[in-house]
Amino acid sequence: MTDQILPNKKQLEILKHIYGPQIIIAGPGTGKTATLILKINKLVNELKIPHQNILALTFTNKAVNEINQRLGLPDFGYTFHSFCSYILKTKNISYKIIPDHQRKKIINVISSQFGLRFQEVEVGISRYKNLADYKIDKKIILEYEKILQKEGFWDFDDLLIKTYFLLKNDDAVRLQKLKKYKFIFIDEFQDTSKIQYELIKLFVGGSRNICVIGDPNQSIYSFRGADSAIFDQFKNDFPVCKIFYLNENYRNNSKIIEIINQIFPKQSITGIKNDFYDVALVNTLNQNTQAQWIIDFINSKIGGVNLQNASSTSEKLDNNIRFSDFAVIYRNHEHAVTVKKKLFNLGAPYQVIGEDSLFFREETKIIYKIIKYLLDNNYEITTDEINLSKQINLDKKFSETIPSLINLLLSNSKNKDEEYLVDFGLLINEFDHYENSYQKFIEYYDFMLANDSYDEKSDKINLLTMHSAKGLEFNYVFLCFFNNGFIPSKFETDEDKRLFYVSVSRAKKGLFLISPKTYKKRDLYASNYKQFFNLPDVRYIEDENMAREQKRINKQKLKKSQIKLF
């Protein structure tokens, strides 16, 4: 959340514009959410518009919760999917959303059947259903839909599609459900897919009081059908729209603002902060030294990466720095493995944010359902889950019963990774401190799902992908594998640059871009994006651990070669 108290001149200008279509282009850290809240508050408090006549849509549960909390209206905002669900339920249209592990299983089967990669099929199906331009064999779509229908499921894209056709084909339903909304706000508009945009036009109906807010430079979800050109489409469909720009940054220090202006020079973000900053490009040897450099830096700031050391030495360092000030950001889940293992071995508190979180794992969901059933026998679970529930004894500690259930679940799963055990192990230890640990687990699970698996108040080091970093901010950011082939990707696109821009702009004080020289026995080269850092006071660091690590690797090689001689 950006540190802004009073509206600035540009926000005051925006607040004067009440009616008609509007676009607000808001750069990173410029008070986008604050502006949205100010506009809605003005409608409700000054113009006396009932909040029931205002529709606010955004893209994540966390964003909805933030808007609702800041407005003091617990059930105000919606995600696109939750609003579509609301419309369908008012028409008594029932559905079941396919569990993610089953959806992936279907896509795996289809991928093998057509000789394609999983990701290619998954992205192709989603982009096709979101009306995005994408070449995919229609037979794949037909096969996918046939299996869904046979098993009695919808996927999340179906929520949008079914609602669109319901509203488009039935004027009475459209008028009945939408006529009460006199003002419509769309947050994070750059993330809008074509099917969502078609829904927006149906939502608007006769009212032209629509305000969209976002940043085309932060459009990073093309694999879901989003398109940064959606702002141009809006201008064409609403030619009299008023356009505003927010460019006063309240988040980043002056050096990081210089960098983000280097990435997209036309936007001209201005800063109001001239406080401490530290920006560095770090050369290191491999994923081991990369992880160790991150840990050493945190140690230098906080006095130790485990709770005991940090608390005992914090007087010597900065008492204001917490574990939660640090975020380790990476392109994909695989890049976090070594960092996570090292943090775990050191007893350092951390949380994985976003889709890689253990809260999105099917095993965790089963544990949740079983515990909920044991606490309330009226809660419905499957026969298999009832059988598994015998593994849990609510009279025993959380740590005495849950591990055996996890092992049993993983033994029946193809996804037998040790990291899940590590992540859940940390969680188990936390809940042991509560007298009613099982109920606390249920409450925490619900909270984490509602907040996209991010516990903002938890004092833990944050681990997350570049995509999951969207909308968040941290004092210190480590961007891992700052190498060609990863950042940017092998086939560099405009979205690579936007994704990098989003990641860099998460850092408030310190930004460290780390470039290993090797990964999985192949050479890597520092990212071409280092061109954006040719600025005064940007540090260039050669990791001191490189020589020691290379010596260790050479010893291992020598030992192996000697063993082969025998």
Side-chain angles (χ1 to χ4, degrees):
M1 190 183 298
T2 52
D3 303 326
Q4 183 185 1
I5 300 173
L6 297 173
N8 59 38
K9 288 182 180 179
K10 292 191 175 182
Q11 288 171 322
L12 289 171
E13 183 187 351
I14 290 169
L15 290 175
K16 291 176 186 175
H17 195 80
I18 307 295
Y19 302 100
Q22 311 162 50
I23 294 176
I24 302 173
I25 305 292
T30 57
K32 173 181 63 65
T33 304
T35 304
L36 188 67
I37 300 302
L38 287 168
K39 284 184 74 67
I40 294 171
N41 270 330
K42 179 162 185 172
L43 290 176
V44 174
N45 298 326
E46 293 185 28
L47 301 181
K48 306 303 178 185
I49 305 294
H51 66 81
Q52 295 90 344
N53 296 144
I54 303 169
L55 175 62
L57 296 174
T58 188
F59 287 82
T60 66
N61 293 322
K62 182 181 180 300
V64 168
N65 289 335
E66 183 180 351
I67 290 169
N68 291 352
Q69 286 169 13
R70 290 171 74 170
L71 286 170
L73 299 170
D75 300 314
F76 178 71
Y78 293 90
T79 64
F80 271 90
H81 291 94
S82 65
F83 187 64
C84 287
S85 177
Y86 157 73
I87 291 174
L88 292 168
K89 285 179 180 177
T90 60
K91 292 299 294 179
N92 296 317
I93 297 173
S94 60
Y95 60 87
K96 289 191 299 181
I97 295 296
I98 186 166
D100 197 52
H101 74 287
Q102 285 182 247
R103 181 187 64 84
K104 288 179 176 177
K105 187 176 178 182
I106 292 169
I107 293 174
N108 261 323
V109 170
I110 294 173
S111 301
S112 299
Q113 185 179 334
F114 286 85
L116 298 170
R117 291 181 299 111
F118 173 88
Q119 187 178 16
E120 190 178 352
V121 174
E122 183 181 42
V123 170
I125 290 171
S126 184
R127 284 183 62 82
Y128 178 86
K129 296 182 83 166
N130 278 276
L131 308 182
D133 295 330
Y134 197 83
K135 292 180 181 179
I136 186 170
D137 191 334
K138 296 289 176 63
K139 292 178 183 177
I140 292 174
I141 304 297
L142 291 172
E143 182 65 19
Y144 176 73
E145 293 298 326
K146 185 177 79 174
I147 298 172
L148 279 186
Q149 190 173 5
K150 182 180 177 182
E151 298 189 9
F153 287 119
W154 290 5
D155 64 14
F156 279 109
D157 291 328
D158 286 323
L159 276 178
L160 307 176
I161 294 166
K162 306 287 187 184
T163 305
Y164 171 75
F165 283 111
L166 174 67
L167 297 177
K168 181 177 174 61
N169 297 331
D170 194 327
D171 292 340
V173 172
R174 187 168 68 252
L175 289 171
Q176 179 190 0
K177 300 301 173 191
L178 301 174
K179 67 180 179 181
K180 70 175 183 178
Y181 297 114
K182 309 301 181 187
F183 294 87
I184 296 176
F185 294 88
I186 312 295
D187 188 24
E188 302 288 5
F189 186 60
Q190 74 280 345
D191 295 334
T192 306
S193 68
K194 287 187 179 180
I195 185 67
Q196 288 168 333
Y197 184 63
E198 292 302 318
L199 278 166
I200 289 169
K201 290 194 288 185
L202 290 174
F203 296 161
V204 171
S207 168
R208 310 296 278 182
N209 300 324
I210 178 169
C211 174
V212 300
I213 184 166
D215 181 3
N217 291 333
Q218 295 189 63
S219 179
I220 59 172
Y221 294 112
S222 64
F223 60 91
R224 296 179 187 168
D227 189 344
S228 60
I230 198 74
F231 287 90
D232 294 328
Q233 183 66 51
F234 187 91
K235 292 174 194 175
N236 291 332
D237 292 331
F238 300 90
V240 296
C241 70
K242 183 76 174 174
I243 304 173
F244 301 94
Y245 295 89
L246 292 176
N247 65 349
E248 285 188 37
N249 180 292
Y250 295 85
R251 175 193 298 154
N252 309 107
N253 65 53
S254 55
K255 186 57 59 178
I256 292 170
I257 289 172
E258 275 189 75
I259 292 163
I260 61 179
N261 280 333
Q262 290 269 99
I263 300 171
F264 289 113
K266 290 182 180 179
Q267 65 186 349
S268 188
I269 299 292
T270 60
I272 64 166
K273 287 189 174 183
N274 291 305
D275 58 355
F276 161 85
Y277 63 79
D278 189 3
V279 178
L281 300 175
V282 182
N283 287 322
T284 190
L285 186 63
N286 54 30
Q287 68 267 35
N288 289 320
T289 53
Q290 174 176 248
Q292 193 59 50
W293 194 91
I294 291 168
I295 288 167
D296 288 346
F297 182 89
I298 296 173
N299 183 62
S300 73
K301 288 290 182 183
I302 210 167
V305 291
N306 63 47
L307 289 169
Q308 185 177 355
N309 287 346
S311 59
S312 63
T313 59
S314 59
E315 291 180 6
K316 303 173 189 176
L317 302 170
D318 189 340
N319 284 317
N320 295 319
I321 295 181
R322 306 170 74 235
F323 288 113
S324 56
D325 288 326
F326 301 94
V328 181
I329 299 179
Y330 38 86
R331 186 64 185 256
N332 59 56
H333 172 69
E334 188 180 15
H335 291 168
V337 171
T338 305
V339 177
K340 190 188 293 185
K341 284 182 178 177
K342 280 184 178 287
L343 289 174
F344 178 77
N345 290 336
L346 289 166
Y350 67 85
Q351 62 176 333
V352 180
I353 301 169
E355 293 180 0
D356 291 334
S357 167
L358 65 90
F359 291 95
F360 288 100
R361 283 283 295 258
E362 187 61 24
E363 292 87 352
T364 312
K365 186 176 181 181
I366 291 171
I367 292 169
Y368 166 86
K369 290 169 68 179
I370 290 171
I371 293 174
K372 195 156 187 177
Y373 165 76
L374 290 172
L375 293 170
D376 176 12
N377 290 143
N378 292 320
Y379 183 75
E380 292 185 9
I381 60 175
T382 67
T383 304
D384 287 342
E385 288 163 350
I386 290 173
N387 292 331
L388 286 168
S389 69
K390 296 168 185 174
Q391 297 286 324
I392 296 180
N393 183 344
L394 296 185
D395 294 326
K396 291 186 175 181
K397 279 187 175 182
F398 202 76
S399 62
E400 291 175 355
T401 58
I402 298 299
S404 61
L405 178 56
I406 293 172
N407 285 320
L408 187 60
L409 289 170
L410 287 177
S411 68
N412 297 325
S413 170
K414 291 182 179 178
N415 196 7
K416 299 181 178 70
D417 62 283
E418 293 179 6
E419 289 177 62
Y420 177 71
L421 291 173
V422 167
D423 291 347
F424 213 109
L426 290 172
L427 199 66
I428 287 169
N429 294 336
E430 287 186 28
F431 284 101
D432 257 1
H433 298 303
Y434 296 104
E435 186 177 338
N436 54 342
S437 56
Y438 295 95
Q439 182 59 44
K440 285 289 183 183
F441 171 76
I442 294 296
E443 292 169 6
Y444 193 65
Y445 181 94
D446 289 335
F447 167 81
M448 292 299 274
L449 283 195
N451 289 275
D452 303 316
S453 80
Y454 176 43
D455 185 354
E456 194 172 0
K457 294 180 181 177
S458 179
D459 190 18
K460 298 175 182 177
I461 299 164
N462 302 285
L463 276 62
L464 63 165
T465 65
M466 295 170 77
H467 282 95
S468 296
K470 178 81 178 299
L472 304 179
E473 58 185 40
F474 308 94
N475 279 333
Y476 297 93
V477 166
F478 307 97
L479 190 55
C480 296
F481 286 99
F482 185 53
N483 299 89
N484 289 332
F486 301 132
I487 307 171
S489 61
K490 184 177 179 181
F491 305 103
E492 184 178 350
T493 65
D494 290 340
E495 186 157 313
D496 279 302
K497 192 175 176 183
R498 295 195 296 268
L499 186 59
F500 177 61
Y501 171 80
V502 166
S503 303
V504 166
S505 60
R506 301 308 97 194
K508 296 169 75 174
K509 292 183 177 180
L511 174 65
F512 308 96
L513 302 104
I514 311 174
S515 303
K517 293 183 176 180
T518 63
Y519 181 62
K520 292 187 174 180
K521 298 181 179 180
R522 65 185 178 93
D523 292 337
L524 297 178
Y525 300 93
S527 172
N528 292 336
Y529 290 165
K530 65 185 179 183
Q531 63 180 297
F532 302 124
F533 295 81
N534 292 327
L535 297 167
D537 299 325
V538 171
R539 296 195 293 147
Y540 292 83
I541 298 173
E542 291 291 319
D543 182 10
E544 295 175 355
N545 290 319
M546 279 198 287
R548 193 182 307 118
E549 175 73 1
Q550 189 62 63
K551 196 173 180 180
R552 183 188 69 80
I553 292 170
N554 291 342
K555 265 189 178 181
Q556 280 186 335
K557 286 181 179 177
L558 181 62
K559 190 175 180 180
K560 284 181 181 179
S561 64
Q562 288 172 339
I563 290 170
K564 284 181 181 178
L565 292 174
F566 297 95

